Amino acid sequence: LVALFYFHDASSFLLVYAATAYFFSHKMVRLVLLTAPIASILGGLALGRAFGWWIRSIVEFRPSIGQIWQNMWQFGAKDDKNFNNNKSDGKKKSNGKKDVSKQNGGKKEATASSGSKVFNTTKIIIGKLLRVGLGLYVAQTYVKPRGEEFHKTSREKAEQMSHPTILFKGTLQSGEEVTVDDYRDAYWWLRDNTPEDARIMAWWDYGYQITAIANRTTIADGNTWNHEHIALLGRALTSPEKEGHRIARHLADYMLVWAGGGGDDLAKSPHLARIANSVYRHMCPNDPTCRRFGFTQQGQPSEAMAASLLYRLHSHGKPGVEADKNRFREVYRSKYGKVRIYKILSVSKQSKEWVADPANRICDAPGSWYCKGQYPPALQKVLAEKKDFTQLEDFNAKKDADSDYQKKYFENLNDPSKASKMAEMNDILEKQKEKEKQKEGYPKTFRPDPAIIAQLQNKWEDGEVTTQLWQLIANDDIDSLKGMIKQNPYVVFVRSGDGRGPLWWAYEHKRQRMINIFKRLGLSETDKDVNGIMPIDLID
């Protein structure tokens, strides 16, 4: 308002600055920092105008350096003028005669005017005193308490932010004050106990710390501008444990998780799920804000969160929660439980070698130092499911490029209750679909006999059954496979002469629907053939 009432070039710039800062900060929460300078400037203008009006009403001039200097100059000029007038009056008195009648009339007029001046002066003084009192009241009642509160809050925030983010003081339940150095110790452990070419998967927030302190390659850091890459990382962390492992084994050797409460990875995980869903829309179907992934009103993890890889690694060891020991092995836990590090098992050596090969990098020019890496071919099936994300601030993109998703996203943000109800409905529909998918061609009441299974799996030999199963899987003839299972569900437990069976062949030919059938019937991904190879090892 001040800028509008006193409109000129400077104030118009402030208004444009304020509108621009507000627009962009509304698009992303962290950009609210852009509003800090202009908010301080406009706030100072308003307070300055109010203070200036108060001072001007008392001393009758604008409290600025230029005005004060002008008043001092005028005051000196008035003194010179009065001095000259006094000199001329003295000359007139010595030279002339006085008009007695004019003098008497002048005295009467002077007496009348002096009375009105006294009244006006009293009125002015009272008005000024009222303004002084009003100003002091406002300052004491409103300005001072808020100023003290602002100063106190600023000091507290300054003290909090002045400490290093990876080293801080804490208080144990016994009341003992300790220095928590978990994060740096974890990075040092990586530096001292992992190969130099080890790749660390962690959320991008800690990327710079892993690079600088642990001296290890990280999957993402604060300079990763590729939103789709961050979404892939978010998908790996928030997907069910098995699916997350299938992605992670092609990208990294270790996983680092911040745990221990506060702003740890689990607290951030709903945001990770939203980022993943912005590119991989099946993560939270018809729910851009991923209400299905988070904590319930009772403070318990939702079904989707409890099944996620991140939750398993974060809460490993708690009652009812255990990370799959065939996929991850905990190798380090910090002193106060703030950091956990897991070794990823069954890492794809083929993918690691492919990524490390300079021939598979894209350089902007032959021999250039700027060469972008590529994802290994084994992840192409996962990457084919993505939908490139369009930033709202991308003014070069078509307006209708992803308008439906953006519209629904903001609708859910503005109406959380409606979004929660929609998420519940989507969960019901998804469960119904899952039930339909599970209606594969084997008896629902099948309960395998462990003795029969052991007899079949210990008898490794080639025969008509193994040959027929291999052909059905290789030809992706799932209908015939269902018919064969209906006749005898135990057929899936046979093993060929090399120790392999249907689950190996399904993984080898990438028959996901068949894999699901075999796993539900009880086949294990960790069984080994004659060479010690497990079915899961055949994932590319």
Side-chain angles (χ1 to χ4, degrees):
L1 289 176
V2 171
L4 285 173
F5 282 119
Y6 298 91
F7 193 79
H8 44 74
D9 291 344
S11 64
S12 62
F13 168 75
L14 295 178
L15 290 174
V16 173
Y17 182 5
T20 305
Y22 175 79
F23 173 80
F24 285 105
S25 63
H26 186 66
K27 300 300 180 184
M28 185 181 292
V29 175
R30 68 184 61 189
L31 293 182
V32 74
L33 291 173
L34 294 174
T35 64
I38 187 60
S40 300
I41 292 170
L42 294 178
L45 281 175
L47 290 175
R49 287 291 178 179
F51 182 73
W53 171 85
W54 184 61
I55 293 295
R56 187 173 185 178
S57 64
I58 297 172
V59 298
E60 296 183 352
F61 68 87
R62 187 172 54 194
S64 64
I65 296 176
Q67 188 67 43
I68 293 173
W69 177 259
Q70 183 179 354
N71 290 340
M72 292 178 63
W73 181 264
Q74 291 177 353
F75 182 76
K78 287 181 179 179
D79 286 347
D80 293 341
K81 185 176 180 180
N82 291 335
F83 178 74
N84 293 331
N85 289 338
N86 290 336
K87 287 175 66 177
S88 62
D89 289 345
K91 291 180 180 178
K92 290 178 180 179
K93 288 179 182 179
S94 60
N95 293 333
K97 299 178 182 178
K98 297 180 180 178
D99 189 336
V100 177
S101 62
K102 288 184 179 180
Q103 288 180 0
N104 291 337
K107 288 180 180 179
K108 291 179 181 180
E109 291 177 1
T111 302
S113 63
S114 62
S116 62
K117 285 182 179 180
V118 170
F119 176 78
N120 291 334
T121 302
T122 304
K123 185 177 179 181
I124 292 172
I125 292 174
I126 293 174
K128 290 183 177 181
L129 290 175
L130 289 175
R131 293 190 187 97
V132 171
L134 178 62
L136 293 175
Y137 173 79
V138 171
Q140 183 68 23
T141 307
Y142 297 100
V143 178
K144 183 180 178 183
R146 284 166 175 74
E148 291 176 348
E149 181 182 359
F150 176 78
H151 180 264
K152 180 181 178 181
T153 303
S154 299
R155 293 292 300 177
E156 291 176 353
K157 293 295 182 182
E159 290 179 3
Q160 293 174 7
M161 296 180 179
S162 64
H163 296 295
T165 56
I166 62 171
L167 183 66
F168 60 92
K169 289 185 177 181
T171 304
L172 301 178
Q173 293 181 350
S174 61
E176 179 186 358
E177 189 178 76
V178 296
T179 299
V180 180
D181 199 7
D182 282 28
Y183 306 111
R184 191 169 57 167
D185 287 342
Y187 301 142
W188 282 345
W189 186 92
L190 284 174
R191 180 194 63 189
D192 300 333
N193 296 276
T194 61
E196 291 186 1
D197 65 344
R199 302 161 299 169
I200 315 301
M201 176 178 281
W203 189 234
W204 67 266
D205 292 9
Y206 331 123
Y208 286 140
Q209 297 174 6
I210 293 172
T211 302
I213 303 176
N215 194 25
R216 291 295 179 267
T217 300
T218 183
I219 300 302
D221 56 31
N223 197 38
T224 304
W225 288 21
N226 187 335
H227 181 88
E228 284 70 25
H229 180 68
I230 297 295
L232 179 63
L233 177 58
R235 175 179 174 176
L237 293 171
T238 57
S239 292
E241 187 176 17
K242 291 182 180 180
E243 183 181 345
H245 176 263
R246 289 167 184 162
I247 297 174
R249 66 187 293 269
H250 294 289
L251 296 175
D253 304 291
Y254 293 86
M255 293 196 71
L256 183 146
V257 177
W258 274 26
D264 63 10
D265 284 345
L266 195 62
K268 301 173 185 175
S269 61
H271 184 56
L272 274 61
R274 286 193 292 272
I275 293 177
N277 187 66
S278 67
V279 174
Y280 298 94
R281 301 292 167 81
H282 70 279
M283 297 291 292
C284 302
N286 300 316
D287 180 19
T289 51
C290 282
R291 298 281 174 179
R292 62 190 294 270
F293 193 102
F295 293 96
T296 64
Q297 294 180 350
Q298 293 74 31
Q300 298 300 316
S302 65
E303 186 177 345
M305 175 183 277
S308 69
L309 169 60
L310 180 58
Y311 181 79
R312 293 285 178 177
L313 300 183
H314 173 279
S315 304
H316 172 66
K318 293 183 178 180
V321 184
E322 185 177 357
D324 189 341
K325 61 182 179 181
N326 295 313
R327 291 179 170 83
F328 301 96
R329 184 174 75 247
E330 186 176 13
V331 293
Y332 177 81
R333 185 181 299 192
S334 61
K335 183 177 180 180
Y336 298 107
K338 294 292 185 182
V339 183
R340 292 183 173 188
I341 300 175
Y342 293 84
K343 180 173 177 57
I344 302 174
L345 304 181
S346 301
V347 170
S348 175
K349 295 181 179 179
Q350 183 179 1
S351 293
K352 186 172 183 178
E353 292 173 356
W354 191 93
V355 170
D357 188 352
N360 295 321
R361 298 176 184 174
I362 302 175
C363 300
D364 60 345
S368 171
W369 62 270
Y370 180 70
C371 299
K372 297 186 295 182
Q374 298 187 81
Y375 293 110
L379 285 178
Q380 292 307 312
K381 185 177 180 180
V382 174
L383 297 173
E385 299 173 350
K386 71 184 179 72
K387 177 180 177 62
D388 290 344
F389 182 71
T390 303
Q391 296 280 359
L392 287 178
E393 296 80 8
D394 187 358
F395 301 108
N396 296 318
K398 296 180 180 179
K399 291 186 178 180
D400 59 346
D402 206 7
S403 57
D404 291 340
Y405 176 84
Q406 301 289 359
K407 180 181 178 181
K408 197 165 187 178
Y409 179 83
F410 285 106
E411 285 179 354
N412 287 4
L413 283 182
N414 296 328
D415 193 349
S417 60
K418 181 181 177 181
S420 298
K421 292 179 181 178
M422 290 296 295
E424 292 176 5
M425 181 61 67
N426 289 331
D427 282 341
I428 295 173
L429 294 175
E430 286 298 315
K431 289 178 181 178
Q432 187 64 32
K433 289 181 181 178
E434 188 64 26
K435 289 181 180 179
E436 295 295 328
K437 288 181 180 179
Q438 290 179 2
K439 291 180 179 179
E440 306 289 355
Y442 61 89
K444 296 181 180 179
T445 57
F446 176 65
R447 296 290 184 270
D449 186 341
I452 298 177
I453 293 175
Q455 184 180 1
L456 290 171
Q457 291 190 332
N458 291 331
K459 188 178 181 180
W460 294 2
E461 62 181 6
D462 297 325
E464 293 183 5
V465 175
T466 55
T467 301
Q468 185 179 2
L469 281 170
W470 185 88
Q471 290 176 344
L472 293 177
I473 294 170
N475 296 328
D476 198 17
D477 189 352
I478 192 168
D479 292 332
S480 298
L481 178 65
K482 289 178 182 179
M484 192 174 182
I485 293 173
K486 276 185 178 180
Q487 294 179 1
N488 182 9
Y490 284 103
V491 72
V492 300
F493 293 97
V494 299
R495 304 279 283 272
S496 62
D498 59 1
R500 296 192 176 187
L503 193 56
W504 277 267
W505 304 326
Y507 270 114
E508 186 177 9
H509 291 88
K510 301 180 178 62
R511 309 302 187 205
Q512 188 60 50
R513 293 179 65 191
M514 294 181 178
I515 291 172
N516 294 337
I517 293 175
F518 296 147
K519 287 166 64 176
R520 282 195 291 271
L521 284 170
L523 292 183
S524 174
E525 294 176 324
T526 58
D527 289 340
K528 296 181 180 179
D529 65 6
V530 68
N531 295 317
I533 298 175
M534 298 182 292
I536 195 174
D537 292 331
L538 300 177
I539 302 176
D540 292 328

